[in-house]
Each structure stands twice: as structure tokens, then as C-alpha cells.
Amino acid sequence: MRRPLAAALVVAALAVPALAQQQQPFEPEGFRTDNYRAPVPATLEGARVLTTGEAETIWRAKGGAFIDVMPRPPKPKNLPEGTVWREAPRKNIPGSIWLPDTGYGALPSAMDGYFRRSLAQASHGDKAALLVIYCLADCWMSWNAAKRALADGYSNIAWYPDGTDGWERAKLPTEEAQPEPRPDQ
């Protein structure tokens, strides 16, 4: 009788940490400001959370503007003359608007303005227009950007937490993207 009980306790002791690691984090009150590549919450208050199938349906129907917030390091201003700078390629959901670096927890004033102007352009000035915001799977950048759009008064925000990782897993098309010029370019 003791052996089965001991075995059950060992299994339970091993299972509890594994279950704890699988739990998704809760929504923070503010923006995430560090460790951006980590598990994200299952929800975003005020936004609709999309599966890949739902994102695909919206995309095929051209029912909303897709906003990619994947960060991109800018070309260093102090590169020696003649140095070759190669931008890392980015493939995103076709037709997306790429707004790099707009998913950080705190944005400098120029980047905040860039984000707001770009959303106004993508939505044609309609704060009720559907905006689908994404990045990569387990990327807080898209969660932050979607939360920021909600705080700016956009009422039809869809957050696609699987981003291009989920899109590519579903074997959906991607295209090489170029970012919208940042304020510092």
C-alpha cells in the first residue's frame, strides 16, 4: 500500500511544476516593460483575441487593417563610411502595415506620435475600424501595442497573439515587408 502512495506522490510532485509552467500569465495593469519574448496572457481587456483561423477569415475578407509591430533595430548613425548594413528581412501577413518598435512598454514621444498617426491612417480616421495587431507568438510587443490602441480610443481592436509564427504554421502566405519610416529616419 505504501509503494502506490509513494509513487502517486512522486508523480504529483513532478506534475505540479509542469502545470505551473503551462499557465499563461495574468494581464498586468499597465504595459509590459521587459522580457518581451515570454508567454503572454490569454486575454486583453477590451480587445478580441483571435485564433489563426479567425485572423485568416478577416484577412481573406479584407475586413480590417493588419498592423505588425515586430521591432527592428535601426541602422546605427555612427557606422564608419563604407560599412555595409544589412537589415534583417521580415516576412509578415500580406497587406500589413509594419510599425516597428511600437510595442515597447514605454514609447518616446516621437514614437508614440508615429504610432498614433499610423493607426489614424490605417483606420482612415475611424476609431471603430477593425485593427488586427500582431507580432510573433509569445511576444508582448503586440499585447502592448493593442493595449495602447485601446487606450487611444480605438474600440475595435483584435489581438492576434500567435502572430506570424501561427500564420506560418498554418501554411498561410507571407510577404517580405518594409517598415513604415520611423520618425528618426
Side-chain angles (χ1 to χ4, degrees):
M1 184 72 167
R2 287 187 175 169
R3 278 201 162 134
L5 179 59
L9 289 173
V10 168
V11 168
L14 293 174
V16 168
L19 288 174
Q21 286 179 345
Q22 290 175 1
Q23 287 182 346
Q24 292 176 313
F26 294 106
E27 285 189 43
E29 284 187 35
F31 296 102
R32 177 76 172 243
T33 59
D34 63 1
N35 196 18
Y36 294 103
R37 286 306 307 270
V40 294
T43 59
L44 173 54
E45 186 177 343
R48 187 169 86 180
V49 180
L50 300 178
T51 65
T52 297
E54 292 166 329
E56 179 187 8
T57 298
I58 293 166
W59 177 75
R60 290 198 185 279
K62 296 183 180 1
F66 279 69
I67 311 293
D68 180 2
V69 298
M70 176 76 176
R72 182 180 211 180
K75 180 179 179 180
K77 293 181 183 195
N78 60 350
L79 279 179
E81 191 173 329
T83 301
V84 176
W85 173 259
R86 296 192 202 290
E87 300 282 2
R90 170 74 173 144
K91 289 192 172 194
N92 67 15
I93 298 169
S96 295
I97 299 164
W98 184 13
L99 304 177
D101 305 325
T102 56
Y104 287 106
L107 294 181
S109 178
M111 287 303 290
D112 186 57
Y114 164 75
F115 183 67
R116 289 171 189 247
R117 284 188 304 278
S118 298
L119 290 188
Q121 186 176 18
S123 67
H124 304 286
D126 179 3
K127 291 213 172 189
L130 176 59
L131 300 176
V132 177
I133 300 177
Y134 71 94
C135 182
L136 301 171
D138 290 330
C139 179
W140 281 85
M141 294 280 181
S142 60
W143 191 91
N144 280 345
K147 185 176 181 76
R148 184 169 283 115
L150 288 165
D152 285 346
Y154 288 89
S155 61
N156 198 3
I157 298 299
W159 173 48
Y160 176 37
D162 287 337
T164 49
D165 292 334
W167 194 262
E168 289 175 338
R169 268 193 308 275
K171 299 190 181 348
L172 293 166
T174 59
E175 67 182 9
E176 190 149 330
Q178 291 301 315
E180 293 297 309
R182 291 185 279 210
D184 58 351
Q185 294 179 322

